[in-house]
Amino acid sequence: MSEMDATTMMKQMVGKAAADRVKSGSIVGLGTGSTAAFMIASLGERLKSGELKDIVGITTSFQGDVLARQHGIPLTTLDAVDHIDIAIDGADEVDPNLNLIKGGGAAHTREKIVDGLADRFIVVVDSSKLVDKLGSTFLLPVEVIPMAYSPVMRAIEKLGGKPQLRMGVKKAGPVVTDQGNFVIDVKFDAIDNPVELEKTLNNIPGVLENGLFVNVTDLVLVGEVKDGKPSVREISK
């Protein structure tokens, strides 16, 4: 088995392991990203087989909308429900306290709303996403209203961050989020206090939300490939 095949199979295993934790009758937050896509596909298979019944999904991105419909998962909105039973989503970094950096897909604002409302939030990642300290390998995304991106970048620099406007791939100009905003990616030399930094960034006028997810994760499912064989392990508080 090639390394690429093993990695793909590992993501499928992690996605299925998370989907298997969804019970019939649940309202499910459906995350964004490659591993979450396998989770959505697995949920669809469980519905089709009759193993799972009467679930509805709430997506965190347009990508999730498309995938859920492709796999026959009924969708609802936050206007129509008063709670979310379980949310499943990926992450770009996970620290030992199960705090996260998310936003590689520019969907972190909707993800934080959905994941934060869930009674149980499960994160699906591969082992490369585990870090000793947030910001070690991944820039911190900050969603900002377009008119405010310049003053927000100056404010972030005063906090010691090195901001850069995320530019589109196969698109001229900046990345535009599902809310019609820009994303600033920020390099901090060290994120020693993610709780305080999350609040400080969100208090800058023009910032909608940032990619620090603090004290919201209940369980992390980690996919690994050892000796060419994929496996899944659990990390919980």
Side-chain angles (χ1 to χ4, degrees):
M1 181 183 297
S2 70
E3 184 176 338
M4 183 174 294
D5 289 340
T7 299
T8 299
M9 189 173 292
M10 174 266 292
K11 289 188 174 186
Q12 288 176 321
M13 286 180 66
V14 175
K16 183 180 185 303
D20 285 347
R21 293 171 184 267
V22 175
K23 298 177 181 178
S24 293
S26 295
I27 301 168
V28 188
L30 302 174
T32 301
S34 58
T35 307
F38 285 120
M39 174 271 297
I40 291 172
S42 185
L43 279 179
E45 290 171 4
R46 292 186 66 200
L47 278 173
K48 189 175 181 180
S49 70
E51 176 190 345
L52 191 64
K53 297 178 181 179
D54 301 323
I55 71 163
V56 291
I58 295 178
T59 63
T60 58
S61 65
F62 291 149
Q63 179 207 37
D65 289 351
V66 172
L67 288 172
R69 291 190 173 95
Q70 284 179 349
H71 293 286
I73 300 173
L75 296 178
T76 188
T77 66
L78 293 176
D79 294 332
V81 300
D82 61 2
H83 74 289
I84 297 173
D85 295 295
I86 184 171
I88 303 169
D89 209 345
D92 299 301
E93 287 188 344
V94 182
D95 77 6
N97 294 315
L98 306 193
N99 295 320
L100 317 172
I101 283 182
K102 291 174 53 55
H108 53 283
T109 296
R110 285 177 61 171
E111 289 171 340
K112 191 175 284 191
I113 293 167
V114 170
D115 299 343
L117 287 171
D119 296 336
R120 184 165 173 77
F121 175 37
I122 298 177
V123 174
V124 289
V125 294
D126 62 74
S127 57
S128 70
K129 307 298 175 65
L130 303 180
V131 297
D132 292 330
K133 185 175 288 189
L134 294 180
S136 302
T137 62
F138 203 83
L139 302 179
L140 176 61
V142 178
E143 183 167 352
V144 59
I145 295 170
M147 68 169 288
Y149 85 89
S150 289
V152 167
M153 289 177 76
R154 290 194 293 270
I156 288 172
E157 288 173 346
K158 290 179 181 178
L159 295 174
K162 300 179 180 69
Q164 60 189 52
L165 186 63
R166 187 183 299 183
M167 304 305 288
V169 177
K170 297 185 179 180
K171 170 198 174 296
V175 166
V176 178
T177 71
D178 289 356
Q179 290 74 242
N181 297 314
F182 293 166
V183 175
I184 296 170
D185 291 313
V186 187
K187 173 62 179 175
F188 286 99
D189 291 334
I191 299 178
D192 296 316
N193 192 334
V195 175
E196 288 303 314
L197 183 58
E198 180 186 28
K199 294 176 182 176
T200 299
L201 288 171
N202 282 354
N203 279 333
I204 298 173
V207 170
L208 184 61
E209 188 54 83
N210 70 82
L212 286 169
F213 283 55
V214 180
N215 297 326
V216 294
T217 307
D218 296 298
L219 175 69
V220 179
L221 299 178
V222 184
E224 298 174 310
V225 178
K226 293 183 178 179
D227 300 324
K229 296 180 180 179
S231 62
V232 179
R233 65 183 172 99
E234 300 180 10
I235 303 175
S236 57
K237 289 185 178 179

